[in-house]
Amino acid sequence: ADLVLLGPPGAGKGTQARLLQERFGLVQLSTGDLLREAVAAGTPAGRAAGEVMASGGLVSDEIVIAILRDRLAAPDTARGAIFDGFPRTAVQAEALDALLADAGRGIVAAISLEVDDAAMVERIVGRSTCAGCGEGYHDSFKRPAEPGVCDRCGGTAFKRRADDAAETVGARLTAYHAQTAPLIDHYAGQGLLSRVDAMAPIDEVTAAMAAVVETAL
Ligand code: AP5
Ligand code: ZN
């Protein structure tokens, strides 16, 4: 079973994908994470992507689809994936349908996380992740129980994303509305779309999404 998460930057796609993957035995597949790994590794794709990501624009379909195709070839994704941040364009949506059909699988649900733009800027600018285990935190909404110590792994190093500066977030939201939001209608037309209010607290959003997945499975 494959699941697509749609939503603007900061909507909670990564947070919810991590929670749902454990619950449903699916693998989170974030093209943002894969691209950041490519940038850190200095691969040709990473070198081409880095500058675009820093500006808040979308990386080319060619690069993103190639990276996703490689990742989908790994056996751990065979039971199903939660696509977090992919597809982001109509071309990517068609490529995903074709890749999954080749493997005899298909999308069972697409969830649109619905939020308002002003709140997204606040969420993104306050965000950090544990350098040890990747657990996500937020200066106002999700602090570790013991200040400076990761709840999950006990690590004490936290990092912030380069594209989370207030100046870049506006460009990321613009790219979302222009190129990605039309996919909501695309999946609605296929009868796969559910909308979830992602302004609610994290656990309520998880519950609403889990109900959608349970119905779809
Ligand atoms: P990507 O890494 O996908 O980033 P994004 O879409 O901008 O999404 P974010 O990771 O910022 O937000 P999220 O929705 O996961 O929210 P999160 O759970 O962290 O992409 C980065 C860049 O890579 C793009 O700009 C582009 O250049 C490139 N790229 C990636 N994929 C691409 C593609 N397919 N095609 C082309 N280019 C691509 O939550 C945010 C914060 O809010 C956290 O601190 C969290 O704790 C908190 N929070 C979450 N939910 C709630 C809640 N319900 N209430 C309160 N706080 C909450
Ligand atoms: Zn940790």
Side-chain angles (χ1 to χ4, degrees), residues 8-15 31-32 35-36 53 56-59 64 85-86 88 92 123 127 137-138 141-142 161 163 172 198 200-202 205:
K13 302 181 296 296
T15 301
T31 45
L35 287 166
R36 280 184 288 280
M53 294 171 76
L58 293 188
V59 175
V64 175
F86 183 95
R88 261 176 155 95
Q92 292 179 18
R123 277 194 195 175
R127 169 171 70 173
Y137 291 97
H138 191 281
F141 309 127
K142 191 184 168 220
R161 266 166 54 178
D163 63 343
R172 289 164 57 196
I202 292 173
V205 178

Side-chain angles (χ1 to χ4, degrees), residues 2 8 27 61 65 71 75-76 95 110 112 115 121 136 151 160 178 184 202:
D2 293 286
V27 171
D61 289 332
I65 291 166
R71 181 67 185 86
D76 67 315
S112 170
V115 294
V121 177
D151 294 337
R160 289 182 193 264
I184 294 173
I202 292 173

